[in-house]
Amino acid sequence: QVQLVESGGGLVQAGGSLRLSCAASGRTLSGYAMGWFRQAPGKEREFVAAVSWSGGIINIADSVKGRFTISRDRTKNTVYLQMNNLKPEDTAVYYCASDKLGTAWRYAESQYYDYWGQGTQVTVSS
């Protein structure tokens, strides 16, 4: 079983940047994909970005394309979400997720992921 811990959230003004990190630990298996989702109060969980095990394949939501970048460091079992030019509508709890089969990066749906972190709050002020 995989444990995921997010960090790096906080309060930032519009136009600013944040870098989120997600560290995986426990009974990790090779070949798993990792992704980021976000959820605002009263809203459904929304796909943000995903990356394959090797880091060579990236899937990113149109709403953040050009502003956000996902990457991973396999040696540290860590995935990152670099967020630039943040907007108030980016305000949400951001969750890190991992799957078992390594295929979830192809889908922008939370149902394809098996493990979830506790989330980290990102608040963007105007």
Side-chain angles (χ1 to χ4, degrees):
Q1 183 164 282
V2 176
Q3 295 175 332
L4 305 175
V5 180
E6 304 97 334
S7 62
L11 175 64
V12 65
Q13 292 187 341
S17 299
L18 286 173
R19 190 190 192 196
L20 305 184
S21 298
C22 174
S25 62
R27 297 176 61 187
T28 57
L29 300 175
S30 63
Y32 58 89
M34 298 184 74
W36 288 95
F37 290 77
R38 66 187 183 184
Q39 187 170 22
K43 303 295 183 181
E44 296 292 325
R45 190 164 296 185
E46 176 189 22
F47 171 77
V48 177
V51 62
S52 65
W53 166 251
S54 68
I57 304 173
I58 294 174
N59 188 12
I60 190 165
D62 290 338
S63 60
V64 300
K65 193 171 297 182
R67 298 188 297 119
F68 292 10
T69 301
I70 188 172
S71 62
R72 73 185 300 171
D73 185 342
R74 289 195 299 154
T75 64
K76 299 178 180 179
N77 283 328
T78 301
V79 65
Y80 305 96
L81 183 68
Q82 178 66 47
M83 305 185 294
N84 298 322
N85 192 24
L86 284 162
K87 303 176 181 180
E89 50 262 44
D90 295 319
T91 296
V93 177
Y94 283 71
Y95 297 92
C96 177
S98 178
D99 75 339
K100 297 178 180 178
L101 300 178
T103 59
W105 60 267
R106 298 200 289 253
Y107 311 101
E109 300 288 342
S110 61
Q111 299 295 327
Y112 292 91
Y113 290 85
D114 302 293
Y115 304 105
W116 294 85
Q118 297 298 311
T120 184
Q121 177 70 49
V122 173
T123 302
V124 184
S125 62
S126 60

